[in-house]
């Protein structure tokens, strides 16, 4: 082939490549380039135009011979790769190899060049300084009439910014921004894939739902920044204690979920393996955390469900099952895991129904109060305790045992507590208006309600709206309330004490009893829990605890009252210990507000 023939092939193919490249960057000029190319064929314009385009193209271009030796590169190549013209000539494109791509990748590339005469695709190259960057590359083969390779012409553009943007968008769509773990969307995708894989292979997989115990206390007590840092450390521990093929995700808040795949073909072995992983996770999370100079410790509750060939449910159903098992673990204590069983779902649905009905009760004024009288040994009235009930239109009166735990878990206890407080003050004012002398009315206050930022204002508001006498109100709080922030608790109590309100420690002896805080707090009364009273005449330990509480109250000059008193023997024993105030069925059952003084008169 003559030199002129080679130049003709070179110029024509280079023109095609430049036209393709130019079209990507300036579609408005494409027609002009193509027309010039046609005009060149008609009038034999010198190839200087293409040489100019080669030199000024924003795409990196290189020309290599049949042995892949680089003959020439343009300025854009030098700018993008960092290699000068002198450093490039005589080298092969391997100069830019990043080592990212496999041999099979290059085999497919060469197969396309040999069979089709071109290749298009993405590559990861390496800059002279060692940095990797992504490119979109186009390679054309130039042949003579005998199909012998003369040149390889390559053009590529740096798409690192595009790839970086794609990665950021993918991360935003699939990763949790705080922990860097998979989010719910990505987890459900992978779970669905594993469900199908399990059906094909017959191997078991497992979903583990994880919820941190009492995380809200850390968030509220130390602030959200500390809480976020703790969540990040939890995420790191989870990742470090799982296999690379497992997936861990953060669903939100303090809830995490783990996907274990390809466990085994046998259900007993799969359960054993999943349980072993769960225990390893629990042990890892229980280790002390150092967050901003503070040592913190937190446990978790885990729920586990298995799936395999016979599982025909959705990813959402699996997550629901693991969630239900996690709630079952919480009822058994901290740092515990439970496996899902079908009867758990029935309990969870029952719990959801109770939650829904409680919201309905609050909206439809179905919350009512009963009042249980408190007496001394001579049956003189000392006061009443307000006890909440739900008045169902069909089921009648519903015990608080059936809905108070749900109210605590869901946070509805704050709204419910405010309603109880108002109704109790309203009844107290009504008794006063009717001329009934009430020494005091005890109203239970939950820790969540007391810790709410506007608790003091809500009490003052209830008193003003109803006209109840603050001096007749006694608020019952639990020992567990005091462990959060003693100073804050004392300050709230002080503000309310200034208005004449008194305080009783309910269920005393079941929580964090301490003389240190009892001496500091403006408490008026200790209430002995019914659990100690029930067996006081038969259980030496209970008797010893009751005696200690009565002695403590005496030394601190606090009133003492025992609840749950149901027999004459209990009354006599308590009197012998020095307790002279009682509440329980032996004296009176809880009654509606309109009936309590009818009974007194009777």
């Amino acid at each position: 082939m003559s030199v002129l023939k080679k130049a003709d092939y070179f110029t024509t193919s280079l023109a095609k490549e430049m036209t393709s490249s130019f079209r990507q960057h300036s579609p408005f000029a494409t027609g002009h380039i193509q027309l010039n190319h046609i005009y060149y064929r008609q009038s034999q314009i010198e190839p200087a135009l293409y040489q100019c385009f080669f030199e000024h193209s924003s795409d990196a271009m290189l020309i290599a011979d049949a042995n892949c030796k680089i003959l020439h590169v343009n300025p854009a190549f030098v700018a993008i790769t960092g290699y000068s013209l002198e450093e490039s000539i005589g080298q092969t494109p391997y100069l830019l190899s990043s080592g990212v791509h496999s041999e099979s990748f290059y085999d497919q590339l060469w197969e396309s060049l040999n069979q089709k005469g071109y290749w298009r695709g993405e590559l990861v190259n390496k800059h002279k300084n060692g940095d990797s960057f992504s490119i979109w590359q186009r390679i054309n083969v130039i042949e003579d009439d005998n199909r012998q390779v003369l040149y390889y012409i390559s053009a590529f553009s740096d798409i690192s910014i595009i790839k970086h943007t794609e990665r950021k968008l993918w991360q935003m769509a699939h990763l949790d921004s705080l922990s860097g773990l998979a989010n719910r969307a990505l987890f459900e995708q992978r779970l669905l894939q594993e469900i199908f894989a399990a059906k094909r292979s017959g191997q078991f997989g497992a979903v583990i739902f994880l919820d941190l115990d009492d995380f809200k206390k850390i968030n509220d007590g130390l602030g959200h920044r500390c809480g976020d840092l703790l969540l990040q450390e939890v995420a790191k521990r989870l990742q470090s204690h799982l296999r690379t093929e497992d997936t861990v995700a953060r669903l939100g808040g303090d809830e995490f979920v783990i996907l274990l795949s390809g466990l085994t073909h046998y259900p007993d072995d799969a359960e054993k393996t999943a349980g072993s992983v769960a225990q390893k996770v629990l042990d890892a999370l229980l280790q002390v955390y150092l967050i901003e100079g503070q040592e913190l410790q937190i446990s978790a509750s885990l729920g586990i469900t298995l799936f395999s060939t016979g599982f025909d449910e959705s990813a959402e159903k699996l997550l629901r099952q693991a969630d239900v098992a996690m709630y079952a673990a919480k009822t058994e204590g901290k740092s515990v895991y439970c496996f899902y069983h079908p009867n758990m779902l029935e309990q969870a649905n029952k719990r959801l129904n109770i939650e829904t009905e409680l919201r309905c009760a609050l909206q439809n004024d179905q919350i009512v109060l009963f009042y249980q009288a408190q007496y001394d040994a001579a049956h003189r009235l000392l006061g009443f305790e307000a006890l909440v009930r739900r008045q169902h239109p069909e089921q009648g009166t519903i015990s608080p045992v059936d809905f108070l735990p749900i109210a605590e878990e869901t946070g509805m206890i704050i709204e419910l507590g405010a309603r109880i407080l108002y109704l109790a003050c309203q009844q107290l004012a009504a008794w006063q208006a009717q001329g009934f002398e009430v020494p005091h009315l005890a109203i239970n206050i939950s820790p969540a309600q007391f810790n709410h930022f506007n608790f003091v204002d809500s009490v003052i508001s209830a008193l003003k709206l109803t006209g109840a006498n603050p001096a007749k109100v006694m608020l019952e709080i639990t020992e567990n309330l005091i462990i959060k922030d003693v100073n804050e608790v004392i300050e709230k109590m002080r503000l309310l004490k200034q208005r004449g309100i008194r305080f009783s420690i309910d269920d005393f002896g079941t929580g964090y009893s301490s003389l240190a805080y009892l001496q500091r707090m403006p408490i008026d009364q200790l209430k002995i829990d019914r659990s100690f009273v029930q067996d006081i005449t038969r259980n030496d330990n209970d008797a010893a605890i009751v005696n200690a509480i009565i002695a403590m109250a005496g030394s601190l000059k606090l009133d003492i009252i025992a609840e749950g008193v149901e027999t004459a023997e209990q009354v006599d024993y308590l009197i012998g210990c020095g307790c002279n105030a009682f509440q329980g069925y032996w004296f009176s059952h809880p009654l509606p507000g309109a009936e309590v003084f009818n009974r007194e008169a009777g």
Side-chain angles (χ1 to χ4, degrees), residues 169-175 182-198 200 207 245-251 257-259 261 307 313-319:
L169 291 173
W170 187 91
Q171 289 172 357
M172 290 172 63
H174 296 91
L175 298 183
N183 62 11
R184 179 183 288 270
L186 180 57
F187 184 85
E188 289 183 350
Q189 287 179 18
R190 293 184 178 176
L191 178 55
L192 194 59
Q193 293 171 358
E194 288 302 324
I195 291 172
F196 289 128
R200 291 192 302 269
V207 175
E245 61 263 36
D246 298 327
T247 299
V248 57
R250 177 172 175 255
L251 301 185
V257 63
I258 299 167
L259 172 61
S261 58
F307 61 92
E313 305 292 350
S314 63
E316 182 181 355
K317 188 67 173 290
L318 270 179
L319 280 171

Side-chain angles (χ1 to χ4, degrees), residues 209-240:
F209 201 106
L210 183 154
D211 184 87
L212 300 179
D213 297 321
D214 299 325
F215 176 74
K216 190 175 185 299
K217 291 182 180 178
I218 292 177
N219 240 2
D220 293 346
L222 301 178
H224 289 279
R225 171 176 166 76
C226 184
D228 288 347
L229 293 174
L230 177 60
L231 291 174
Q232 290 172 346
E233 289 302 314
V234 167
K236 291 177 183 177
R237 291 192 186 183
L238 290 175
Q239 285 183 304
S240 65

Side-chain angles (χ1 to χ4, degrees), residues 6-22:
K6 291 180 181 179
D8 180 53
Y9 265 86
F10 172 79
T11 304
T12 302
S13 203
L14 181 59
K16 289 180 180 178
E17 181 56 47
M18 289 180 175
T19 298
S20 171
S21 177
F22 198 69

Side-chain angles (χ1 to χ4, degrees), residues 535-554:
D535 293 326
I536 193 171
T537 59
R538 300 186 300 272
N539 188 304
D540 292 340
N541 289 333
D542 288 347
I545 292 173
V546 169
N547 274 281
I549 294 173
I550 294 172
M552 183 185 298

Side-chain angles (χ1 to χ4, degrees), residues 342-408:
N343 62 330
M344 289 181 180
L345 187 58
E346 182 180 346
Q347 293 298 319
N349 289 334
K350 181 180 178 181
R351 177 182 172 277
L352 181 61
N353 289 336
I354 293 173
E355 180 182 345
T356 303
E357 290 183 358
L358 181 55
R359 294 187 189 279
C360 178
L362 285 166
Q363 293 170 2
N364 296 292
D365 294 326
Q366 295 173 1
I367 300 300
V368 297
L369 297 184
F370 279 44
Y371 301 87
Q372 189 170 34
Q374 299 169 339
Y375 295 95
D376 64 11
H379 283 257
R380 288 188 293 263
L381 181 66
L382 300 177
F384 295 95
E385 179 182 2
L387 301 170
V388 66
R389 303 286 188 269
R390 183 192 172 196
Q391 195 63 43
H392 195 280
E394 298 174 358
Q395 301 174 22
T397 304
I398 298 177
S399 167
V401 175
D402 294 330
F403 60 83
L404 275 185
I406 304 300
E408 291 277 2

